[in-house]
Amino acid sequence: MAAQEPEHFGLTYNDVHNLIRASAAKIAEFKPDMLIAIVYPPCCSCGFFPARVLRTFLKTPERKGNIPIHAIGLSLYESLPGMTAEQIGAEVIRTQWLGPESGELLLGRRALIVDEVDDSRKTLHYAITELQRDVERALEALPESERDAKRTKFAVFVVHNKLKPKLAEIPAGIPYYAGEEIEDVWLDYPWEAQDIEEHDRLAAEGKKKRAAKTQ
Amino acid sequence: MAAQEPEHFGLTYNDVHNLIRASAAKIAEFKPDMLIAIVYPPCCSCGFFPARVLRTFLKTPERKGNIPIHAIGLSLYESLPGMTAEQIGAEVIRTQWLGPESGELLLGRRALIVDEVDDSRKTLHYAITELQRDVERALEALPESERDAKRTKFAVFVVHNKLKPKLAEIPAGIPYYAGEEIEDVWLDYPWEAQDIEEHDRLAAEGKKKRAAKTQ
């Protein structure tokens, strides 16, 4: 028997746009006042597009101006030669951060961390714990009585959460929003398409097939 | 007579995707090895989406891995109270940069600066001249004989160039690519749409009207 091709799940731009739209009401309850997109310079996935679209849906008449979007760059080194078993998949590298005053920037804010896909959850875990560490450092400069009020509230939004064993957890007490929970399939996002019309055609075909399966 | 509404020009996601696709062959001649997206935290426009899509079209079999995308954040303060005539529209503020080693990061690279719209050209001008200054600083640490080979080559890509008087110029010798040259209309990008199906319908309607006008 031939090896089975991993199942592909194609999404049009409008599909992704509407997944984000459908999540926005729930996310608005968290009242984020800054978005932190995770970007992966040498890789494909990136939280910038979802963050940009999400901001559109978080606009309210009360809020003057848009919610600012910041970016942090991370790389997950899965298999560099010469790594020990413990290091493989454990090494997350920062390629870009919020700046030297990261902690001060975060103080008192409600920060929503945005990513495209929650796969192993390792980079999300890393991002949250490192940002929390920056906050704790900045809090130390304040009188103890002011710290609780200034402690940053974090939450997470991903467009897709893959239903698979995770290698790390989201720390307790952090709201987590996913546009869609999905099996461990290969996600074909539109921004990776050479031919967008053909991509849309294949995405529509895939949807029909899945609909037929579940009937 | 009622004041005339500014003309709106709606673009679907696939329209933008295909504008970028059509520009990619020309941009590939510049052989960029890093993309620098201009982002505007408190504003709407952002070079991250075009940079992400463009990278898809710059993939070649020879190039291992993706071209890294970096971000610089800029704000253009047009009319803060108390500003003098000279300051109005002159004040560009950095909100995020390439890091303290910006110049060293840029040395020897072919960097393509990416933005959504070239409107007044002020932020593009600012971005290029500031990045060039970082490069010159880093070059000073090198022996004179090595400097020419290490001097960063810059180029610019924007999805839309508005045909209007510009307040600043792109420095001489810097290749400039625009997905489309367009009159000074109001661009409705899809990521700003609350209802993407309605947005697409209006974009199609607008295209029909413009086609009828030019016949």
Side-chain angles (χ1 to χ4, degrees):
Chain A
M1 203 177 101
Q4 216 184 340
E5 270 253 314
E7 198 187 337
H8 281 246
F9 191 105
L11 293 119
T12 68
Y13 280 112
N14 289 9
D15 289 339
V16 179
H17 191 98
N18 285 328
L19 277 179
I20 296 166
R21 179 186 188 171
S23 309
K26 266 210 160 323
I27 295 169
E29 291 172 16
F30 172 70
K31 297 194 177 28
D33 59 14
M34 76 187 282
L35 307 181
I36 302 176
I38 305 184
V39 303
Y40 303 89
C43 186
C44 272
S45 140
C46 162
F48 229 101
F49 177 72
R52 178 63 193 82
V53 176
L54 180 62
R55 185 168 68 177
T56 296
F57 295 114
L58 293 177
K59 267 190 192 169
T60 61
E62 302 87 56
R63 210 198 134 78
K64 278 183 213 161
N66 285 303
I67 301 178
I69 302 179
H70 295 261
I72 55 175
L74 297 179
S75 275
L76 185 59
Y77 286 95
E78 299 271 4
S79 57
L80 290 178
M83 281 177 104
T84 64
E86 288 75 33
Q87 283 176 311
I88 289 173
E91 206 69 42
V92 180
I93 317 250
R94 294 181 182 198
T95 58
Q96 187 174 325
W97 208 246
L98 295 178
E101 307 282 280
S102 168
E104 287 72 14
L105 178 72
L106 290 164
L107 280 192
R109 308 293 285 272
R110 306 183 62 85
L112 182 73
I113 298 166
V114 181
D115 205 350
E116 210 173 84
V117 179
D118 176 358
D119 193 69
S120 74
R121 204 160 277 177
K122 283 198 76 71
T123 48
L124 276 173
H125 173 85
Y126 177 90
I128 298 166
T129 50
E130 289 293 297
L131 291 169
Q132 281 180 328
R133 198 169 298 165
D134 290 349
V135 171
E136 292 304 322
R137 250 185 242 120
L139 284 172
E140 279 168 25
L142 297 180
E144 246 193 281
S145 59
E146 293 178 19
R147 292 183 192 170
D148 275 355
K150 285 287 195 183
R151 184 165 278 118
T152 311
K153 304 282 186 301
F154 289 101
V156 171
F157 170 62
V158 294
V159 180
H160 286 100
N161 175 30
K162 286 198 181 172
L163 298 166
K164 62 190 283 187
K166 302 294 184 181
L167 300 175
E169 281 312 305
I170 304 290
I174 292 195
Y176 176 92
Y177 310 96
E180 191 172 21
E181 309 270 339
I182 195 161
E183 321 87 86
D184 191 10
V185 294
W186 190 280
L187 292 166
D188 289 332
Y189 284 112
W191 40 89
E192 289 158 23
Q194 292 278 341
D195 180 336
I196 194 71
E197 285 78 22
E198 174 66 5
H199 170 89
D200 286 3
R201 198 187 60 71
L202 290 173
E205 218 174 77
K207 272 174 224 161
K208 263 191 218 159
K209 269 190 210 161
R210 281 191 298 279
K213 256 199 228 170
T214 55
Q215 271 179 354
Chain B
M1 200 176 103
Q4 213 182 341
E5 270 256 311
E7 196 187 338
H8 280 248
F9 190 104
L11 294 118
T12 68
Y13 280 112
N14 289 10
D15 289 339
V16 180
H17 191 97
N18 285 328
L19 278 179
I20 296 166
R21 179 186 186 170
S23 309
K26 265 208 162 325
I27 296 169
E29 291 172 15
F30 171 70
K31 296 194 180 28
D33 58 14
M34 75 187 284
L35 306 181
I36 302 176
I38 305 185
V39 303
Y40 303 88
C43 187
C44 271
S45 139
C46 162
F48 228 99
F49 178 71
R52 179 63 194 82
V53 176
L54 180 62
R55 184 168 69 177
T56 296
F57 295 113
L58 293 177
K59 266 190 194 171
T60 62
E62 303 87 56
R63 210 199 134 78
K64 278 182 212 161
N66 286 302
I67 300 179
I69 303 178
H70 295 262
I72 56 175
L74 297 179
S75 274
L76 184 60
Y77 286 95
E78 299 269 5
S79 56
L80 290 178
M83 282 176 105
T84 65
E86 287 76 32
Q87 282 176 312
I88 288 171
E91 205 71 43
V92 181
I93 317 252
R94 293 181 182 198
T95 57
Q96 186 174 326
W97 208 247
L98 294 178
E101 307 282 280
S102 168
E104 288 72 14
L105 179 72
L106 289 164
L107 280 192
R109 307 293 287 273
R110 306 183 62 86
L112 181 73
I113 298 166
V114 181
D115 206 350
E116 210 173 84
V117 180
D118 176 358
D119 193 70
S120 75
R121 204 161 276 176
K122 283 199 76 70
T123 48
L124 277 172
H125 173 86
Y126 177 90
I128 298 166
T129 50
E130 289 293 296
L131 291 169
Q132 280 179 329
R133 197 168 299 167
D134 290 348
V135 171
E136 291 304 322
R137 249 186 241 120
L139 284 172
E140 279 169 25
L142 297 181
E144 244 191 284
S145 59
E146 293 177 20
R147 291 185 191 168
D148 274 356
K150 285 287 195 183
R151 185 165 278 119
T152 311
K153 305 282 186 299
F154 289 101
V156 171
F157 170 62
V158 295
V159 180
H160 286 101
N161 175 31
K162 286 199 181 171
L163 298 167
K164 61 189 283 187
K166 303 294 184 181
L167 299 175
E169 281 313 306
I170 306 289
I174 293 197
Y176 176 92
Y177 310 96
E180 191 170 22
E181 309 270 339
I182 195 160
E183 319 89 88
D184 191 10
V185 293
W186 189 280
L187 292 166
D188 289 331
Y189 285 112
W191 39 88
E192 289 159 23
Q194 292 279 341
D195 180 336
I196 193 70
E197 286 78 22
E198 175 67 6
H199 170 88
D200 286 3
R201 198 186 62 71
L202 290 172
E205 219 174 77
K207 273 175 223 160
K208 262 192 219 157
K209 268 191 210 160
R210 281 191 299 278
K213 256 199 229 170
T214 55
Q215 270 180 353

